[in-house]
Amino acid sequence: MKPATLKEIATTLGLSISTVSKALKDYPDVSKKTKKLVKELAETLNYRPNASAVNLRTKESKTIGLVIPEVVHHFFSSVIKGIISEAEDKGYLVIILQSNESFELEKKQIELLINKQVDGILISLANGTYDFSHLKAVMNQGITLVMFDKIAKIVDCSKVIIDDQMAAFDATQHLIDTGCKRIAHFRGPLTPQNSIDRFLGYKKALLHNQIPYDPSLVYILDAMSFEEGQHFTKELLKDHDDIDGIFINTDLVAIGSITELNKRNIKIPEQISIIGFSNWFMSSVISPTLSTVNQPGHLMGKKSFKLLYKEIKKRKEGKKIKFKNVELKTDIILRDSTKKI
Amino acid sequence: MKPATLKEIATTLGLSISTVSKALKDYPDVSKKTKKLVKELAETLNYRPNASAVNLRTKESKTIGLVIPEVVHHFFSSVIKGIISEAEDKGYLVIILQSNESFELEKKQIELLINKQVDGILISLANGTYDFSHLKAVMNQGITLVMFDKIAKIVDCSKVIIDDQMAAFDATQHLIDTGCKRIAHFRGPLTPQNSIDRFLGYKKALLHNQIPYDPSLVYILDAMSFEEGQHFTKELLKDHDDIDGIFINTDLVAIGSITELNKRNIKIPEQISIIGFSNWFMSSVISPTLSTVNQPGHLMGKKSFKLLYKEIKKRKEGKKIKFKNVELKTDIILRDSTKKI
DNA sequence: GTTTTTACCGAAAACGTTTTCGATAAACTT
DNA sequence: AAGTTTATCGAAAACGTTTTCGGTAAAAAC
């Protein structure tokens, strides 16, 4: 019933604990005969080294922590998948915690992970996070930290993000390439970096094509919900009757917009083209299907873990770590809500 | 840089390790003065007990393992969320692993968790799992096991599942209650238990209302995709012109069906009512919004962890454990694709 | 036959806790 | 004043590893 230990193997075999330990790890100073003996008994006893004891001795837990704002979210679950698969590859396990977009909870989760002596932490910040001392505490404890997606530039560590500005540029450019001349933008709140960057990409694309930037075409949303998509589409149609394209900050809002346009029998993309952002699953299912920017969550997870892994390794070897900023390229998924080229 | 230890606190304060340990845990045989001293120093040094050392001493890792077929899935991510939040409440951390619906991988993940000496394991089986010796190994190692969602009746442990048959009964009953008389059913493949149970619930509801069961109204799908939803709707309309309701095995297919009906300008729910299963997010966003059966993933996660927790506790206290079978009640989400009562 | 090498093994410390069991001194009893 | 209680602390073992450093015997070398 109780798991077997080195001691058990040692005593039943009339050996010392050290010899058993070394036999199992193929040390050269153990004879082949005893190695065989030890390994066989270990097999039949179903011996597994006690992880806590190993960690205590070797100082590494082979475990990392992951803190995200919300598990039930297509993008984040893709990230999780990427991280888990990559971590498994390197023999690491992943403890997942959720901040629920709350700063307080985020702090608490970080605390838990530090207590657990994880070898590293991957984090995507909660919206509410305004102070970063808890993250500095992580670094101070000698734990490697890598931020992804929702980051804070001020924290000194490696980061993996999406090149939001370029993605937004490309999306807007695609609208222009397919003939749109009056392009509106539904943007997110003023503070989050990605909402800013997407707006800047939109603006840059206009200017790059000698299309005048008209601030009245930019609508600032708050909740980023389906309902807001409907509402601001109504507003937009009321304010401007010459719109032929909308670049929308996120797919859910875009779907709200499409629903509203459908209701009014406005033809997509013949009259108005729509392009979204994130490539939610339902975007391929709505009618018409939604062209959008694909956020490579899986890749982001993989990259983030790889970075973390490298830094953990370097730290162990006592080498210096130079923090990196990785910007992932996005790609555009062309569907039926924009015209073909 | 290095995390503080009891020893450090002890030496700088001129105390013994034991006293420091006891001071931090408010043992009665430590004076208030030294307690204060110790706690203050611990605070400033940012002392955290080394989890590995504690585990080694106390035999519990305060960590559980979770093995699921696929992370990127709305239902499973809800389950994950439920488990994590409940676990956090009890001071447990959750290590998540993925089987990718592969039996081999599932075995490997279980191995990893056993090595890690988790206190318990929660698992939803991969489709490919045909042998259960790896799960018996878990029990033999003294690790508590609870299965949920996709279970194997043959394995002797507690289980948490959804009452698919009753859910399907209720869904069909709702169609009948709102006036449907000729109700079709799009079912899943022949083998999975839930697909069987949902079919049986459908059939039972018909008989319960003296509606004759007509096998030609039951369509067996395979991929359970959006496209199949469209395809079989066409078939259904071709075969039967008197249909006034469809109970569909899963929301994605239902959305395919709605799309097809919309295209043909068949009014939902006036001409045909639709009810789905699973309550995917997009069901609240499609037009018309889809009535469906809500699978309480979050609740299932919570319940599963609670069960696991109780059994871990009992095992620790040396008490006997009586395995339970929990069947979770589903509820129907009424939206616009079915008529109001 | 003595020395040197080689092959094999074990003792012991260390990782950071928790907890039992004394030990000491001060404070009470009577 | 002697015994008894109370308050406060520390020594030490234990949890299960890993790894260094010797130690012994057999084999090899001279």
Side-chain angles (χ1 to χ4, degrees):
Chain A
M1 202 70 189
K2 288 269 146 200
T5 68
L6 289 183
K7 201 197 225 173
E8 271 181 49
I9 299 181
T11 51
T12 65
L13 243 46
L15 290 168
S16 77
I17 296 178
S18 2
T19 308
V20 174
S21 172
K22 286 189 283 191
L24 289 172
K25 319 185 91 192
D26 271 326
Y27 270 54
D29 63 342
V30 177
S31 73
K32 289 191 176 177
K33 212 171 59 181
T34 55
K35 273 183 189 171
K36 189 158 170 280
L37 242 55
V38 169
K39 285 181 180 175
E40 279 177 359
L41 185 56
E43 175 74 18
T44 61
L45 288 184
N46 208 10
Y47 168 78
R48 313 260 166 247
N50 180 309
S52 300
V54 175
N55 300 344
L56 184 57
R57 197 35 236 243
T58 63
K59 296 284 179 199
E60 35 174 18
S61 62
K62 289 281 183 184
T63 304
I64 64 155
L66 170 61
V67 182
I68 51 178
E70 169 68 56
V71 170
V72 189
H73 192 292
H74 183 261
F75 173 68
F76 280 123
S77 55
S78 307
V79 174
I80 293 176
K81 182 169 179 165
I83 291 172
I84 290 182
S85 67
E86 201 65 27
E88 198 198 313
D89 210 54
K90 304 287 186 198
Y92 275 77
L93 293 178
V94 184
I95 291 172
I96 301 182
L97 289 170
Q98 217 182 208
S99 66
N100 279 331
E101 298 283 9
S102 142
F103 172 50
E104 290 306 322
L105 209 52
E106 184 179 293
K107 272 205 294 194
K108 196 181 148 199
Q109 314 295 30
I110 293 278
E111 272 286 299
L112 281 174
L113 290 174
I114 294 179
N115 287 16
K116 193 72 185 184
Q117 334 279 119
V118 292
D119 296 339
I121 293 181
L122 290 170
I123 187 169
S124 178
L125 256 35
N127 276 336
T129 300
Y130 51 87
D131 175 77
F132 308 105
S133 51
H134 57 310
L135 299 177
K136 296 199 175 130
V138 171
M139 313 282 284
N140 285 343
Q141 293 274 332
I143 298 175
T144 311
L145 178 73
V146 169
M147 308 178 75
F148 67 92
D149 189 47
K150 282 153 67 176
I151 63 156
K153 286 188 180 165
I154 204 176
V155 180
D156 203 27
C157 68
S158 287
K159 294 155 194 129
V160 180
I161 52 174
I162 276 172
D163 192 339
D164 276 294
Q165 197 171 135
M166 183 181 292
F169 182 94
D170 290 346
T172 313
Q173 184 67 49
H174 174 250
L175 290 178
I176 297 171
D177 289 344
T178 54
C180 297
K181 305 235 179 287
R182 285 285 282 174
I183 302 172
H185 176 37
F186 288 1
R187 62 164 289 173
L190 290 173
T191 47
Q193 194 61 43
N194 59 10
S195 146
I196 296 172
D197 287 337
R198 289 175 199 178
F199 164 66
L200 292 176
Y202 156 79
K203 198 165 157 186
K204 203 189 256 178
L206 295 183
L207 300 179
H208 184 255
N209 291 274
Q210 287 86 41
I211 297 178
Y213 162 62
D214 178 355
S216 75
L217 293 181
V218 175
Y219 291 76
I220 302 174
L221 313 212
D222 181 39
M224 312 293 286
S225 63
F226 179 79
E227 288 76 16
E228 272 193 343
Q230 295 181 297
H231 172 71
F232 282 95
T233 303
K234 284 182 206 162
E235 293 295 311
L236 175 65
L237 293 174
K238 208 186 299 170
D239 299 344
H240 305 274
D241 56 2
D242 54 348
I243 291 301
D244 53 10
I246 321 178
F247 165 48
I248 299 181
N249 189 287
T250 192
D251 277 8
L252 181 53
V253 175
I255 288 177
S257 182
I258 287 181
T259 305
E260 184 62 28
L261 292 175
N262 279 341
K263 202 182 290 176
R264 298 180 177 228
N265 271 321
I266 296 177
K267 292 273 172 272
I268 309 171
E270 291 78 6
Q271 293 173 263
I272 296 183
S273 294
I274 306 273
I275 189 160
F277 206 111
S278 338
N279 191 28
W280 283 39
F281 176 74
M282 54 187 173
S283 306
S284 61
V285 150
I286 189 96
S287 168
T289 56
L290 176 66
S291 294
T292 187
V293 175
N294 186 44
Q295 271 183 304
H298 193 251
L299 181 64
M300 180 173 261
K302 281 187 165 250
K303 274 272 177 203
S304 302
F305 179 81
K306 276 186 185 167
L307 242 177
L308 186 72
Y309 176 73
K310 271 190 198 163
E311 295 188 3
I312 289 175
K313 217 170 136 191
K314 278 202 178 169
R315 190 189 286 260
K316 212 174 66 181
E317 294 165 354
K319 288 185 192 164
K320 253 202 180 159
I321 301 170
K322 231 172 64 191
F323 296 132
K324 280 189 184 173
N325 274 321
V326 179
E327 289 207 333
L328 257 35
K329 278 218 60 172
T330 52
D331 52 326
I332 294 188
I333 311 275
L334 296 180
R335 298 209 184 88
D336 298 338
S337 69
T338 53
K339 293 177 208 155
K340 307 289 173 232
I341 289 186
Chain B
M1 200 69 191
K2 288 271 146 199
T5 68
L6 289 184
K7 203 198 225 170
E8 272 181 48
I9 299 180
T11 51
T12 65
L13 243 46
L15 289 168
S16 77
I17 296 179
S18 0
T19 308
V20 175
S21 172
K22 286 188 284 191
L24 288 172
K25 318 186 93 192
D26 271 326
Y27 270 55
D29 63 342
V30 177
S31 73
K32 288 190 178 177
K33 213 170 59 181
T34 55
K35 272 184 190 172
K36 189 158 171 278
L37 243 56
V38 169
K39 283 180 180 175
E40 278 176 2
L41 185 56
E43 177 75 18
T44 62
L45 288 183
N46 209 8
Y47 168 79
R48 315 261 164 246
N50 180 309
S52 300
V54 176
N55 300 344
L56 185 57
R57 192 42 233 238
T58 63
K59 295 288 181 197
E60 37 176 14
S61 62
K62 288 280 182 185
T63 304
I64 64 155
L66 170 60
V67 182
I68 50 177
E70 169 69 56
V71 170
V72 189
H73 193 290
H74 183 261
F75 174 67
F76 280 121
S77 54
S78 307
V79 175
I80 292 176
K81 183 168 179 166
I83 291 172
I84 289 181
S85 67
E86 201 65 26
E88 198 198 314
D89 209 54
K90 304 285 187 199
Y92 275 77
L93 293 177
V94 184
I95 291 172
I96 301 182
L97 289 169
Q98 214 181 208
S99 67
N100 277 331
E101 298 285 8
S102 141
F103 173 48
E104 291 305 323
L105 209 52
E106 184 178 294
K107 272 204 296 193
K108 196 182 149 199
Q109 313 295 30
I110 293 278
E111 270 286 301
L112 282 174
L113 291 174
I114 294 178
N115 287 13
K116 193 73 184 184
Q117 338 272 124
V118 292
D119 295 339
I121 292 181
L122 290 171
I123 188 170
S124 178
L125 258 32
N127 276 336
T129 299
Y130 51 86
D131 176 78
F132 307 103
S133 51
H134 57 310
L135 299 178
K136 299 205 172 125
V138 169
M139 313 282 284
N140 284 342
Q141 292 276 330
I143 299 174
T144 311
L145 178 72
V146 169
M147 308 179 75
F148 67 91
D149 189 48
K150 282 154 68 176
I151 63 156
K153 288 188 179 167
I154 204 176
V155 180
D156 202 26
C157 67
S158 287
K159 294 157 195 131
V160 181
I161 53 176
I162 275 172
D163 193 340
D164 276 295
Q165 197 171 135
M166 184 181 292
F169 182 95
D170 290 345
T172 311
Q173 183 67 49
H174 174 250
L175 289 178
I176 297 170
D177 288 345
T178 55
C180 298
K181 306 235 176 288
R182 284 285 281 173
I183 301 171
H185 176 38
F186 289 0
R187 63 164 287 173
L190 291 173
T191 48
Q193 194 60 44
N194 59 9
S195 145
I196 295 172
D197 286 337
R198 290 175 198 177
F199 164 68
L200 291 177
Y202 157 79
K203 198 166 158 187
K204 204 188 257 179
L206 295 183
L207 300 180
H208 185 255
N209 291 275
Q210 288 85 39
I211 298 179
Y213 162 61
D214 177 355
S216 76
L217 292 181
V218 176
Y219 291 75
I220 301 173
L221 312 213
D222 181 37
M224 311 293 286
S225 63
F226 179 79
E227 288 76 16
E228 272 193 345
Q230 296 180 297
H231 172 71
F232 281 96
T233 303
K234 285 182 205 164
E235 293 294 313
L236 175 65
L237 293 174
K238 208 186 299 170
D239 298 345
H240 304 274
D241 55 1
D242 54 348
I243 290 301
D244 54 10
I246 320 179
F247 166 48
I248 300 182
N249 188 286
T250 191
D251 277 7
L252 181 54
V253 175
I255 288 176
S257 182
I258 288 180
T259 305
E260 184 62 29
L261 293 174
N262 279 342
K263 202 182 291 176
R264 298 183 176 225
N265 271 321
I266 296 177
K267 292 272 172 273
I268 309 171
E270 291 78 6
Q271 294 173 262
I272 296 183
S273 294
I274 306 273
I275 190 160
F277 206 110
S278 340
N279 192 26
W280 284 39
F281 175 74
M282 55 189 173
S283 306
S284 61
V285 150
I286 188 96
S287 168
T289 55
L290 176 66
S291 293
T292 186
V293 175
N294 186 43
Q295 270 183 305
H298 193 250
L299 181 65
M300 181 173 260
K302 282 185 165 250
K303 272 274 176 202
S304 301
F305 178 82
K306 275 186 185 164
L307 242 176
L308 186 72
Y309 176 74
K310 271 190 197 162
E311 294 189 3
I312 289 174
K313 217 168 136 193
K314 278 202 178 171
R315 190 189 286 263
K316 211 174 67 181
E317 293 166 354
K319 288 185 192 163
K320 252 202 182 160
I321 302 169
K322 229 172 68 192
F323 296 131
K324 280 188 184 173
N325 274 322
V326 179
E327 287 206 336
L328 255 36
K329 277 217 62 172
T330 52
D331 52 324
I332 295 188
I333 312 275
L334 296 182
R335 299 210 184 88
D336 298 337
S337 68
T338 53
K339 292 177 208 154
K340 307 288 173 232
I341 289 186

